[in-house]
Amino acid sequence: MIKILDIHEKDFETQFNILLERANIDMDIIIPQVLQTLQDIKQRGEAALLDIVKKYDDWNPKTFDDLKITEEDTLSAYKNLDPKTKDALQIAYDRIYTFHAKNAPKGFIYHDEYANMLGQNIMPVERAGIYIPGGKAFYPSSLLMNAIPAKVAGVREIIMASPTPHNHINELVLAAMYLCGIKEGYKIGGIGAIGMFAYGFGDTKWSKDSLFSDTQTTSKGFKKVDVITGPGNIYVATAKKLVFGEVNIDMIAGPSEIGIIADSHANSDHLAIDMLSQAEHDAMASAILITDDRKLAYEVAQKIDVKLTNLARKAIAQKSIQERGAIIIVENLKQTISLMNAIAPEHLEIVTKEPFLLLGEIKTAGAVFLGHYTPEAIGDYLAGPNHTLPTGGSARFFSPLGVEHFCTRSSLISFSKQGIAKLATPCATLAEMEGLEAHKLSVLSRLNSTKK
């Protein structure tokens, strides 16, 4: 049975702090192994990638071309979808696209009182690498969630990578690639995919020949990307952490998790299956319910046990519930909010009589699901907002994947003659205070020009 904690128990503080430490997967243990693999990819390129696929995916590609997913494969998979599945994918695509289009960042320009022009320019990155898990299960929904905001941003080259055990890739993932218009994909996962994205290999360096030719030269190898997004296991998360700076990343996401705030008006059947919906993801996933209703707490615990019996992924979900799940009993809803803000869950369901009254008090959550008819699972597929979310308490400083992750920002500055005349002297004063004489002279030299 899932553990039940009472806020009045003597060891509650200790038990609750253990829950808060759920993200402290000891990356230190595997960092040397991950770093060694990344360095091998950096040094040996194609050969290292082929060795990784042979070792972990149990098939034997001879060249890098063998890892490529063809456009014919994606088109064929899409055409072969049954109408019901094709319709579901399209509904998800349209809803996710609509949400992210509304959320796209916009640049701006304004003029100050001296007629200086100031602003910000928003530009898409050139190449984005999206990683889609595929070892234990296949996630076409993750492909939609990562590719669509990149498309909205205007990214020209979106490249997908996913592990393919025994050289088999899920037909739904291929169909989702076609639907998203992704023309470049690779059958490689884990550290190999992250290293390929981050470092590239082969003849991909800039050449001055491009300045003297109207035709774009083709390179042999793989050109590194600008940003890597997408979830993965601890090896993927560690690899992303280690390559950050070489490229940008979305976040370091860990196992899935759900937090639920519920009162006596909640349906215990709904709460039990909602908790299991996250537990079945991964044995390291966590599901935490906080309620001010003792009777509800024990009902949910019992129903979790009953529903586990017939669950297809019972072994995974059971381990998650037993080792990382919890039901916490408190005195009132104010305490539920305080504890949940400390947990900062990836997904938060508020299942109370008046959920919107609590929303303003929630400070840390990746996504918030309000009311009795909003299961977290609807957000995994087609609600619209992104399901790539901060985990392990990182909602305190990370945000959901969005269009902005595929963009860069440039500041725009254009001073007028009047503007430099008014502001050069105070600027020079600040430069002199910092002991940077050339800065001071650079600004003051413009004053001579304004007097002519």
Side-chain angles (χ1 to χ4, degrees):
M1 180 178 280
I2 190 170
K3 58 180 167 284
I4 298 178
L5 309 179
D6 190 311
I7 198 168
H8 294 298
E9 292 173 354
K10 289 183 179 180
D11 66 341
F12 177 78
E13 236 178 66
T14 301
Q15 293 297 320
F16 187 70
N17 278 302
I18 290 173
L19 293 179
L20 297 185
E21 293 295 317
R22 68 195 184 282
N24 290 344
I25 303 165
D26 195 0
M27 283 188 174
D28 291 344
I29 295 174
I30 66 168
I31 280 177
Q33 177 189 344
V34 176
L35 186 59
Q36 183 179 12
T37 303
L38 288 172
Q39 289 174 338
D40 188 38
I41 295 168
K42 198 172 186 179
Q43 293 168 4
R44 295 199 300 128
E46 178 179 3
L49 296 175
L50 296 176
D51 286 346
I52 287 171
V53 174
K54 292 173 191 174
K55 182 176 180 179
Y56 294 105
D57 285 347
D58 295 319
W59 63 284
N60 192 19
K62 301 298 182 184
T63 69
F64 186 65
D65 283 344
D66 293 338
L67 301 182
K68 293 180 180 177
I69 297 169
T70 68
E71 290 184 57
E72 291 78 10
D73 288 338
T74 64
L75 174 59
S76 175
Y78 183 74
K79 285 183 174 179
N80 290 333
L81 287 179
D82 64 85
K84 183 180 177 182
T85 304
K86 186 178 291 187
D87 185 51
L89 274 179
Q90 189 65 57
I91 290 171
Y93 180 97
D94 292 341
R95 293 182 62 84
I96 297 164
Y97 194 101
T98 298
F99 178 88
H100 287 82
K102 292 179 182 295
N103 193 37
K106 295 177 176 62
F108 63 89
I109 288 176
Y110 73 95
H111 291 83
D112 67 12
E113 65 270 36
Y114 305 121
N116 302 315
M117 187 277 285
L118 305 165
Q120 188 175 86
N121 196 23
I122 307 291
M123 299 156 291
V125 299
E126 184 75 10
R127 284 170 62 82
I130 61 174
Y131 181 79
I132 309 302
K136 296 178 181 178
F138 296 98
Y139 298 100
S141 59
S142 288
L143 194 147
L144 296 179
M145 292 289 182
N146 282 264
I148 291 172
K151 285 172 66 70
V152 172
V155 178
R156 204 159 64 96
E157 300 173 31
I158 303 172
I159 303 100
M160 191 279 292
S162 184
T164 54
H166 308 290
N167 196 18
H168 173 74
I169 186 165
N170 181 267
E171 292 293 304
L172 279 174
V173 172
L174 291 175
M177 281 183 67
Y178 177 81
L179 183 60
C180 292
I182 298 175
K183 301 183 183 301
E184 189 175 355
Y186 296 93
K187 296 179 283 188
I188 183 169
I191 307 169
I194 304 304
M196 179 186 77
F197 281 152
Y199 303 128
F201 71 90
D203 185 17
T204 60
K205 292 184 178 180
W206 181 85
S207 168
K208 69 179 181 180
D209 291 342
S210 61
L211 297 175
F212 304 100
S213 174
D214 293 330
T215 58
Q216 190 172 3
T217 57
T218 57
S219 59
K220 294 181 178 180
F222 180 85
K223 183 181 177 183
K224 64 182 289 186
V225 303
D226 302 305
V227 61
I228 301 171
T229 70
N233 61 21
I234 187 173
Y235 291 93
V236 170
T238 304
K240 285 171 69 176
K241 181 175 182 177
L242 292 174
V243 301
F244 176 60
E246 185 78 34
V247 293
N248 196 12
I249 63 171
D250 51 353
M251 64 190 81
I252 302 168
S256 190
E257 56 191 36
I258 187 171
I260 304 175
I261 291 175
D263 64 11
S264 60
H265 294 85
N267 182 309
S268 57
D269 279 304
H270 295 170
L271 301 185
I273 199 63
D274 288 357
M275 294 178 77
L276 289 172
S277 75
Q278 294 308 292
E280 72 176 354
H281 267 297
D282 190 320
M284 298 177 72
S286 63
I288 301 169
L289 166 65
I290 308 179
T291 181
D292 62 351
D293 188 304
R294 182 175 296 274
K295 179 183 175 185
L296 179 72
Y298 281 93
E299 281 183 6
V300 172
Q302 290 169 356
K303 289 182 179 181
I304 285 174
D305 286 346
V306 173
K307 293 177 187 299
L308 262 173
T309 305
N310 298 317
L311 208 62
R313 293 167 68 89
K314 175 183 175 181
I316 292 172
Q318 191 167 42
K319 186 173 182 181
S320 166
I321 287 294
Q322 289 177 348
E323 295 184 3
R324 293 172 178 265
I327 296 175
I328 300 173
I329 302 170
V330 296
E331 292 179 347
N332 52 57
L333 288 179
K334 184 177 180 181
Q335 290 176 347
T336 69
I337 293 166
S338 179
L339 293 178
M340 199 60 81
N341 277 334
I343 292 170
E346 176 188 19
H347 309 102
L348 170 60
E349 289 185 4
I350 304 179
V351 192
T352 60
K353 182 180 180 181
E354 296 180 291
F356 283 89
L357 292 182
L358 303 184
L359 181 58
E361 302 298 318
I362 299 301
K363 307 301 181 186
T364 55
V368 184
F369 301 79
L370 296 139
H372 300 274
Y373 306 104
T374 319
E376 183 280 327
I378 201 78
D380 278 345
Y381 295 103
L382 51 66
N386 210 286
H387 79 194
T388 304
L389 301 165
T391 64
S394 63
R396 292 179 295 107
F397 48 85
F398 272 131
S399 300
L401 180 67
V403 180
E404 66 275 11
H405 286 95
F406 298 95
C407 297
T408 59
R409 294 173 293 163
S410 291
S411 299
L412 304 175
I413 306 166
S414 177
F415 263 50
S416 65
K417 192 173 184 178
Q418 176 195 8
I420 198 70
K422 290 285 187 181
L423 297 173
T425 299
C427 182
T429 299
L430 293 172
E432 186 174 34
M433 287 170 55
E434 294 188 350
L436 298 175
E437 185 179 8
H439 281 63
K440 169 185 170 182
L441 295 176
S442 172
V443 175
L444 293 179
S445 68
R446 266 62 177 185
L447 286 178
N448 297 327
S449 301
T450 62
K451 295 174 183 177
K452 293 180 181 178

